[in-house]
Short mmCIF file of all heavy atoms in Angstrom, two decimals:
data_model
loop_
_atom_site.label_atom_id
_atom_site.label_comp_id
_atom_site.label_asym_id
_atom_site.label_seq_id
_atom_site.Cartn_x
_atom_site.Cartn_y
_atom_site.Cartn_z
N VAL A 1447 -92.99 25.39 75.33
CA VAL A 1447 -91.64 25.46 75.84
C VAL A 1447 -91.23 26.91 76.14
O VAL A 1447 -91.45 27.80 75.30
CB VAL A 1447 -90.65 24.79 74.87
CG1 VAL A 1447 -90.75 25.38 73.47
CG2 VAL A 1447 -89.22 24.89 75.37
N ASN A 1448 -90.67 27.15 77.30
CA ASN A 1448 -90.09 28.45 77.71
C ASN A 1448 -91.10 29.59 77.84
O ASN A 1448 -90.70 30.73 78.09
CB ASN A 1448 -89.01 28.90 76.72
CG ASN A 1448 -87.84 27.95 76.65
OD1 ASN A 1448 -87.51 27.29 77.63
ND2 ASN A 1448 -87.19 27.88 75.51
N SER A 1449 -92.38 29.33 77.72
CA SER A 1449 -93.35 30.43 77.63
C SER A 1449 -93.37 31.28 78.90
O SER A 1449 -93.63 32.49 78.83
CB SER A 1449 -94.74 29.90 77.33
OG SER A 1449 -95.12 28.90 78.26
N GLN A 1450 -93.12 30.71 80.05
CA GLN A 1450 -93.16 31.47 81.29
C GLN A 1450 -91.98 32.41 81.44
O GLN A 1450 -91.99 33.31 82.29
CB GLN A 1450 -93.25 30.53 82.49
CG GLN A 1450 -94.56 29.76 82.57
CD GLN A 1450 -94.69 28.95 83.84
OE1 GLN A 1450 -93.72 28.81 84.59
NE2 GLN A 1450 -95.87 28.45 84.09
N GLN A 1451 -90.93 32.23 80.64
CA GLN A 1451 -89.77 33.09 80.71
C GLN A 1451 -89.75 34.17 79.61
O GLN A 1451 -88.83 34.99 79.55
CB GLN A 1451 -88.48 32.26 80.63
CG GLN A 1451 -88.09 31.59 81.94
CD GLN A 1451 -89.09 30.58 82.40
OE1 GLN A 1451 -89.47 29.67 81.66
NE2 GLN A 1451 -89.52 30.69 83.63
N LEU A 1452 -90.73 34.16 78.72
CA LEU A 1452 -90.73 35.13 77.63
C LEU A 1452 -90.92 36.55 78.16
O LEU A 1452 -91.64 36.79 79.12
CB LEU A 1452 -91.85 34.80 76.64
CG LEU A 1452 -91.66 33.58 75.75
CD1 LEU A 1452 -92.92 33.34 74.91
CD2 LEU A 1452 -90.44 33.77 74.85
N GLN A 1453 -90.25 37.49 77.50
CA GLN A 1453 -90.40 38.90 77.81
C GLN A 1453 -90.95 39.63 76.60
O GLN A 1453 -90.54 39.37 75.47
CB GLN A 1453 -89.06 39.50 78.20
CG GLN A 1453 -88.46 38.93 79.49
CD GLN A 1453 -87.13 39.58 79.83
OE1 GLN A 1453 -86.45 40.13 78.97
NE2 GLN A 1453 -86.73 39.48 81.09
N ALA A 1454 -91.88 40.55 76.85
CA ALA A 1454 -92.43 41.35 75.74
C ALA A 1454 -91.39 42.36 75.26
O ALA A 1454 -90.64 42.93 76.05
CB ALA A 1454 -93.69 42.07 76.21
N VAL A 1455 -91.35 42.57 73.95
CA VAL A 1455 -90.44 43.55 73.33
C VAL A 1455 -91.24 44.81 73.02
O VAL A 1455 -92.19 44.74 72.21
CB VAL A 1455 -89.80 42.99 72.05
CG1 VAL A 1455 -88.88 44.02 71.42
CG2 VAL A 1455 -89.05 41.70 72.36
N PRO A 1456 -90.94 45.94 73.62
CA PRO A 1456 -91.71 47.17 73.33
C PRO A 1456 -91.66 47.49 71.84
O PRO A 1456 -90.61 47.47 71.22
CB PRO A 1456 -90.98 48.24 74.15
CG PRO A 1456 -90.31 47.48 75.25
CD PRO A 1456 -89.90 46.17 74.65
N GLN A 1457 -92.83 47.80 71.27
CA GLN A 1457 -92.94 48.09 69.84
C GLN A 1457 -93.58 49.45 69.57
O GLN A 1457 -93.82 49.79 68.42
CB GLN A 1457 -93.77 47.01 69.14
CG GLN A 1457 -93.06 45.67 69.01
CD GLN A 1457 -91.95 45.68 67.99
OE1 GLN A 1457 -91.79 46.63 67.22
NE2 GLN A 1457 -91.13 44.65 67.98
N THR A 1458 -93.80 50.25 70.60
CA THR A 1458 -94.50 51.53 70.40
C THR A 1458 -93.75 52.46 69.48
O THR A 1458 -94.36 53.28 68.79
CB THR A 1458 -94.72 52.22 71.75
OG1 THR A 1458 -93.47 52.32 72.44
CG2 THR A 1458 -95.70 51.42 72.62
N CYS A 1459 -92.43 52.38 69.43
CA CYS A 1459 -91.67 53.31 68.60
C CYS A 1459 -91.80 53.00 67.12
O CYS A 1459 -91.30 53.78 66.29
CB CYS A 1459 -90.21 53.34 69.02
SG CYS A 1459 -89.45 51.73 69.17
N ASN A 1460 -92.42 51.92 66.74
CA ASN A 1460 -92.67 51.68 65.32
C ASN A 1460 -93.82 52.53 64.80
O ASN A 1460 -94.15 52.48 63.63
CB ASN A 1460 -92.93 50.20 65.06
CG ASN A 1460 -91.64 49.44 64.86
OD1 ASN A 1460 -90.75 49.88 64.13
ND2 ASN A 1460 -91.50 48.31 65.53
N LYS A 1461 -94.45 53.33 65.68
CA LYS A 1461 -95.46 54.30 65.24
C LYS A 1461 -94.78 55.64 64.98
O LYS A 1461 -94.92 56.60 65.74
CB LYS A 1461 -96.52 54.47 66.33
CG LYS A 1461 -97.43 53.26 66.53
CD LYS A 1461 -98.49 53.59 67.57
CE LYS A 1461 -99.46 52.44 67.75
NZ LYS A 1461 -100.50 52.76 68.76
N LYS A 1462 -93.96 55.69 63.94
CA LYS A 1462 -93.27 56.90 63.52
C LYS A 1462 -92.38 57.45 64.62
O LYS A 1462 -92.36 58.65 64.93
CB LYS A 1462 -94.26 57.98 63.07
CG LYS A 1462 -95.11 57.57 61.88
CD LYS A 1462 -96.03 58.69 61.43
CE LYS A 1462 -96.83 58.25 60.22
NZ LYS A 1462 -97.78 59.31 59.78
#
Side-chain angles (χ1 to χ4, degrees):
V1447 55
N1448 298 331
S1449 54
Q1450 293 186 350
Q1451 280 64 53
L1452 287 175
Q1453 295 180 339
V1455 179
Q1457 288 288 350
T1458 54
C1459 50
N1460 275 314
K1461 291 183 177 180
K1462 299 183 179 179

